[in-house]
Amino acid sequence: MDYQQASAWDPCATLATFLTLDDLAKASAAFSPTSPPPHHQHQSGVQVQTPATPVLKLVDEAKDKGYKRLCIPLTTAKWEARWAHMCLLPTESSDADKEQAAKDAEQWRLSPGFQLDEVTITRLDEAEGIIAMISEWLELDAADDWVRHDAEIALKQELAYASYLNIQTAILPAPRNRDHVASYARIVNSCLTKYPYTYLSIRLPIYNPSAFATQPPPLVPVSQSFAESLSPSTSRSTPSLVISMTEKEPVQPGGSLNATWEMWDLIRSMCDYNPRLTLTLDLSPALPTTLGVLSKWAAESVRYIFLPSSTFIANVKGYPVLPKPTQQFIRDSMIHRPMIILGGVSDGHHSRGGEAAYSQYVRHLEKTSPAVQATKQPGTVENFAQGYQDYLQAPLQPLMDNLPSVTYQTFEQDPVKYAQYEEAMYHAFLDRPAGERFVVCVAGAGRGPLVARCFKALERSKREATVIAVEKNPNAFVTLQHRQAMEWNNKVKLCFGDMRVIDVPEKADILVSELLGSFGDNELSPECLDGAMRFLKPAGISIPSSYTAHLAPLSSSKLYNEARSPKNEKSLETPYVVMFQAVNILSGTKAANDGRCGPQVQECWEFEHPRRDAVLDSRGLPYTNSHNARAAKMRFYIPHAGVLHGLAGYFEAILYGNIGLSIHPQRKDQVSKDMLSWFPLFFPFKEPLYLPSNSELQVSIWRLTNDRQVWYEWHAESFISIPAAADRKEELMLSTTFPATPFSAMGAPSPLIDSKEPPRLDTSRFAAYGTSEEALYDMVKIGHTSLHNPGGRSSWIGL
Amino acid sequence: MDYQQASAWDPCATLATFLTLDDLAKASAAFSPTSPPPHHQHQSGVQVQTPATPVLKLVDEAKDKGYKRLCIPLTTAKWEARWAHMCLLPTESSDADKEQAAKDAEQWRLSPGFQLDEVTITRLDEAEGIIAMISEWLELDAADDWVRHDAEIALKQELAYASYLNIQTAILPAPRNRDHVASYARIVNSCLTKYPYTYLSIRLPIYNPSAFATQPPPLVPVSQSFAESLSPSTSRSTPSLVISMTEKEPVQPGGSLNATWEMWDLIRSMCDYNPRLTLTLDLSPALPTTLGVLSKWAAESVRYIFLPSSTFIANVKGYPVLPKPTQQFIRDSMIHRPMIILGGVSDGHHSRGGEAAYSQYVRHLEKTSPAVQATKQPGTVENFAQGYQDYLQAPLQPLMDNLPSVTYQTFEQDPVKYAQYEEAMYHAFLDRPAGERFVVCVAGAGRGPLVARCFKALERSKREATVIAVEKNPNAFVTLQHRQAMEWNNKVKLCFGDMRVIDVPEKADILVSELLGSFGDNELSPECLDGAMRFLKPAGISIPSSYTAHLAPLSSSKLYNEARSPKNEKSLETPYVVMFQAVNILSGTKAANDGRCGPQVQECWEFEHPRRDAVLDSRGLPYTNSHNARAAKMRFYIPHAGVLHGLAGYFEAILYGNIGLSIHPQRKDQVSKDMLSWFPLFFPFKEPLYLPSNSELQVSIWRLTNDRQVWYEWHAESFISIPAAADRKEELMLSTTFPATPFSAMGAPSPLIDSKEPPRLDTSRFAAYGTSEEALYDMVKIGHTSLHNPGGRSSWIGL
């Protein structure tokens, strides 16, 4: 099989296998502790230590098959039976039995612990490399208060035992009851605090959790049944204790494809995004074909993917393969380096390929994953950015700080950016009459890459020009002088100084600059070029001629956790440069039909050079920086529920004609494919904002300025469209019929007696509230973030 | 007029008057600066300084009429004209005019300032006691970016001038454009930072802001029109600069009665609840009759109420009076001590009463306000609690801390509580056979108030009993010994020690205790009484026999700001005892019709004594405290949009039979009217949660315990009911038709070729998603709080 060949492949995913209690029982039955003896001679003559227990044998076998980890249940059926007997006694039990069970339960609650035959592992060496599967029957979200209460004690008992055995990771059974997921979450959070070295992972079906719903337990908890048998009913009309325990919660109508994610969101939020809490996505249920539902998992900390052999289907030859949507999901997930837990691989579900076929197939998916392939291919952003994924960097401030040579060198390696610049200059030069000498000024020449490209473009276009290079970094200016002497034959007019202040020897026809940041204007290109415009002849042009800033709403637990790390107390009020990986853009890919909302990524504002509306002083400089202030308000359609953690910022620039630069996620490949110089910007939000499915997100962002600084402020509000409420209409009726309300007419006339005259009510004001079709739907506000970075308090760019 | 008589009345509200530019012009015209001379002899012979300016004269007149403050516009029409000429030039202006205007505007933006004739006040003495009304024509929320931009500069210019004149407070014009309220809020926040000693108040119509909507300005800002005239249209397909400036935002359908509050909420949230930001409620529009819409203002920082004479109607004698809903609103507001700004009082709107009639009428409303009356009447909670309103206190921990005598004394002053206890004992004693001696044990006797009441009840019921008093506070035990000697003739068996540990000389028939906190069990009554149950005979009873804890969702900017004050970093994770005043209960007063939601205030849980289900060790004590753990999940219906800042906690107790104690807001007056001992509990939320109208709030609260501590954790989630989304149905269709999707059939059979076999999709799983009527509506989650006080991290009660 060809997909086994490429042994040099560096795998992204690791594999694990899941064994059931049955598997353990079979291994135990087959195991004979005395033969072979603990130490025997291998054929090769090397002494090999033979596993001393069935579990050790299973671990060894799994390692031999290429599994990095073995997932096994920590407790046996005996423990389940004892727990149920203590905590869930059948109603028909005798009072004496109930009393004994209640006493046993209290003794157990006082000091919880296992008997030997209630656990599957007893030795430290057995536990090495094991992931503990917590008892599946524990109902941490049971409707019954006392079942939950005792399940919490039992869970902590298992975790304490796992911790004793140095087991690092435990996978918890899935929440099943939406109405009590808050209790499940509270218990998980309590465990994360109590066991500070244990990683917990929540097993969740990827969607449609109703497939996992269990019937409410037919048993009544001991304490309650015991209580009820003794005290029939108290004198209080609403005995809350009984109600809160046995109340049958109304069934949530329908459920939702987002229901699984919603449960996860609640759990991880209530656990305050604890990094030791991860997700085990269970792919047992069939996957939906719409990827919108699935893409959200990319923004969550999915550590494990549970893939039972029953999820595989057989191809015509009988080998196990996965359905198309599952294939695609796993290919896309590979980039996040999950551990894939294969279950039931020895059950013989498929006629061909045997146990090995499942892991071979997973490896095949990995190698054919476009995302993984991209990281392995030199020249791609994905390959270039290895190690930088989801790593937050403060944006450069090249105006305030003089860059080191190594930074110039890194960015000069971008083959695409400078090719685009050369192409733009080439076409700009071609558009000038042949034989006529003109002037090109490179404003912010750095170490000279644009000067070099300028000469290439002049050569290609067969044009002659005077080249001026302006640079304010005194260190880079040494490099420019060096290249001037070595490469450029002293043909360049080098000018040292800030382009907002100095003068150039000759006015230019074409001004070339590379002052753009990830958000376009965020390295103060507008302000710098305002100054450099003095270098241009009246009809001169700028390369770039314009640039735009773009935003999209983003979800990412990882970036949220990174941004709020205690390194920097104001860390959630400043934008970061970051190569996105574990993120999900929340907005819909298309503009909404009703025209209210724009596309997935929306334009904020534009800057053009030269400005057409410039009001300049005698030196040719603007009086104020007011004209570089900007404000934008955008409406995004949110098709699937998600949590807003920040905004993704991108830019596009037009260099000349149709030659541009773009990091816009949907257009970058057409405009400037494989350009490496810019990662997107991330504007974080302090408090995650929950956005339901089919909601609208309104984002405001401002570019503000005073005479010393430029900064951004940002804010978001969420809305949902609902039918106009009945009581709102009712209120309107009451209000408009107000004049008819009779006032008291009794008593002698006095200044205090109420008027009979109706108040002057301008009923025309209510005209807008008619019962016309449009009024039947309201955009209802449902939430907002705080205002971020007010007054540039936390983050600004120095002018 | 009788309501003028009570001169001893201590007023809650202060009065101010608002003068227009016309009033100022009239005063200026009538004013002659030379006659009378600056200093002249008064008739009485005392030298009086005559006002030297028209403004000073107006100020003096207002003071004479009883107004504490004068509200006047700070700028004149001349300034409005100059600003408009610079910043809003008509489209038909010549290019030269536009260029000049643009230059003037830039010069102004560079250093904003007034000319003498552009302001109404110039002297420090004129400004004393003045509230500045900021230019009404400033559109801080204009749809046009540049109008907003220049309005912000103009606002800051006015505030800088007010600050120069030592004016403390400025009232800002109302926001008018919901789509740009975020910009309005950002500007206000920027001003609060820039002028750290100035109080800003936002003028807002109490509802229906559409009454205040202005047409978009017919003028085009200079910079834009100028730009457009020069550069017809750029090459970019979507020139964002122009779009973001001129885009016609779609009109919000209908609007909402909550719209005004929603704007205020956004502003104060974006200003991070700055205590220098207040609200000026404008009562010009007619008020609605439903108080649900109005009650929310009680939870906001309403500092001023603007009441123009045009809001008054005439009674049959021609005197100005207010419509009923406005009367009631003002009466209810009086408790918050607002300043009432009367406007147009000299316009002669009403035929009788003259200018004085308006302020007299407001004073009359104050005196007839039930809330104000309650605070003035001794014996009411309102009177008792003077000075404690909205003041956060840490709950007592009488088990851990021994209370000082003065604390006992305060609580012993409650006439109602001890009368109820006496009554309960009296009836319990009556229910015992006459002539038969029994044993009463007071567990936690403190300084002895219950012992004294016990003797009274014995006397009244003509019963004989042995009285035992148990107390663990060694200091209070001295007082008990003193009373034993002086009052009780050594008839009481005094036992020193913790009721959970010590033994009593004789088993009791009736155990009386007063261990309840504001939330019932929050001073560990359940745990203490578990121990004291050893003192009871098998058929013995406890007074109280049971108690319940209750919750309601609460909105209060004030409590939120108090709780997050920097005094205590964990201050938002601990409950407080507080006498509520500036609060609003968000839940609807009735249970929802559909049965999903309970009433306004809901019961969490109950404790009964003696417990029926006790599992006890040989000493008669419980093995663990597990049985005192509780959990409750409640659903509240939220009729009107509001912000959740916390939960209000209450208790009810049954002492004996139908005699009880209650601080439940709807039942306390029936059960134990004027009881003073308990203010409610306030469970704060760290992040305010926005709740839309017609939403559902689900609150989870847990009472948790280990062997040393008891603590509460709390959490909330919000939902809204909407029609099932079209795309959800679509997705379901896609999922269920999945088996029909054709798989690739080409290529040679290989392990990697996809299967033709459809995946095993259990379609029965989708049965729940039918298109039946119920499935057409979903409860959609829209937000949640974090989990508060996890693991008792921030707040616990010591066992």
Side-chain angles (χ1 to χ4, degrees), chain A residues 548-570:
Chain A
T548 47
H550 302 254
L551 282 181
L554 204 69
S555 184
S556 172
S557 298
K558 182 143 184 221
L559 293 184
Y560 172 69
N561 247 345
E562 291 286 323
R564 68 175 184 153
S565 79
K567 282 175 294 187
N568 177 359
E569 66 165 31
K570 288 184 170 169

Side-chain angles (χ1 to χ4, degrees), chain A residues 603-606 608 630, chain B residues 143-146 224 227-228 231-234 238-248:
Chain A
E603 186 173 315
C604 304
W605 50 63
E606 183 182 34
E608 280 186 296
R630 291 289 186 277
Chain B
D144 184 289
D145 285 3
W146 298 113
Q224 185 204 349
E228 279 185 344
S231 84
S233 112
T234 64
T238 52
S240 73
L241 187 68
V242 176
I243 280 195
S244 64
M245 286 195 303
T246 59
E247 188 185 15
K248 196 85 170 78

Side-chain angles (χ1 to χ4, degrees), chain A residues 519-727:
Chain A
F519 202 48
D521 55 271
N522 64 308
E523 293 181 10
L524 303 190
S525 177
E527 284 75 10
C528 293
L529 291 184
D530 275 349
M533 283 306 135
R534 296 173 300 124
F535 308 160
L536 267 190
K537 293 177 186 165
I541 62 159
S542 166
I543 293 175
S545 62
S546 69
Y547 36 90
T548 47
H550 302 254
L551 282 181
L554 204 69
S555 184
S556 172
S557 298
K558 182 143 184 221
L559 293 184
Y560 172 69
N561 247 345
E562 291 286 323
R564 68 175 184 153
S565 79
K567 282 175 294 187
N568 177 359
E569 66 165 31
K570 288 184 170 169
S571 58
L572 283 165
E573 303 218 46
T574 184
Y576 294 96
V577 168
V578 54
M579 168 70 184
F580 295 144
Q581 181 164 295
V583 305
N584 180 34
I585 294 184
L586 292 166
S587 43
T589 45
K590 287 179 204 156
N593 289 339
D594 62 2
R596 283 187 61 84
C597 296
Q600 184 174 39
V601 179
Q602 291 181 33
E603 186 173 315
C604 304
W605 50 63
E606 183 182 34
F607 288 90
E608 280 186 296
H609 300 285
R611 278 170 66 206
R612 306 294 167 185
D613 56 347
V615 179
L616 305 173
D617 66 13
S618 56
R619 296 165 300 165
L621 291 169
Y623 289 85
T624 72
N625 200 29
S626 272
H627 60 279
N628 286 327
R630 291 289 186 277
K633 178 157 180 190
M634 287 150 283
R635 295 166 193 272
F636 294 97
Y637 173 66
I638 308 297
H640 303 289
V643 174
L644 179 73
H645 294 108
L647 303 169
Y650 309 99
F651 84 96
E652 290 200 291
I654 293 176
L655 295 178
Y656 184 80
N658 61 357
I659 299 151
L661 306 173
S662 175
I663 62 166
H664 185 297
Q666 287 153 1
R667 291 201 288 252
K668 62 180 179 178
D669 284 356
Q670 291 93 306
V671 177
S672 54
K673 187 167 162 51
D674 291 334
M675 183 169 68
L676 309 175
S677 294
W678 291 276
F679 295 151
L681 218 54
F682 174 62
F683 293 91
F685 282 116
K686 269 183 288 195
E687 311 91 12
L689 183 65
Y690 186 94
L691 303 177
S693 297
N694 288 307
S695 61
E696 177 176 315
L697 180 73
Q698 298 187 4
V699 171
S700 297
I701 186 164
W702 297 269
R703 183 187 205 262
L704 297 162
T705 173
N706 58 26
D707 52 356
R708 302 173 314 280
Q709 294 152 350
V710 171
W711 70 94
Y712 303 99
E713 299 184 23
W714 59 100
H715 178 260
E717 276 187 278
S718 58
F719 296 82
I720 199 164
S721 167
I722 63 159
D727 80 323

Side-chain angles (χ1 to χ4, degrees), chain A residues 178-179 236 240 254 257 286 314-315 327 603 605-606 608 633 694 717 725 731 750 754-755 760-761 769, chain B residues 178-179 234 236 240 254 257 286 310 314-315 327 603 605-606 633 654 694 717 725 731 750 754-755 761 769:
Chain A
R178 178 63 183 89
D179 273 331
R236 296 190 55 80
S240 72
L257 291 183
N315 69 5
Q327 282 181 33
E603 186 173 315
W605 50 63
E606 183 182 34
E608 280 186 296
K633 178 157 180 190
N694 288 307
E717 276 187 278
E731 255 167 18
S750 116
D754 289 314
S755 162
R760 280 178 296 279
L761 189 85
Y769 298 129
Chain B
R178 177 64 184 89
D179 274 331
T234 64
R236 294 189 57 81
S240 73
L257 291 183
S310 59
N315 68 6
Q327 282 180 33
E603 185 173 316
W605 50 63
E606 183 182 34
K633 176 155 181 192
I654 292 176
N694 287 306
E717 275 187 279
E731 255 167 19
S750 117
D754 289 315
S755 163
L761 189 84
Y769 297 130

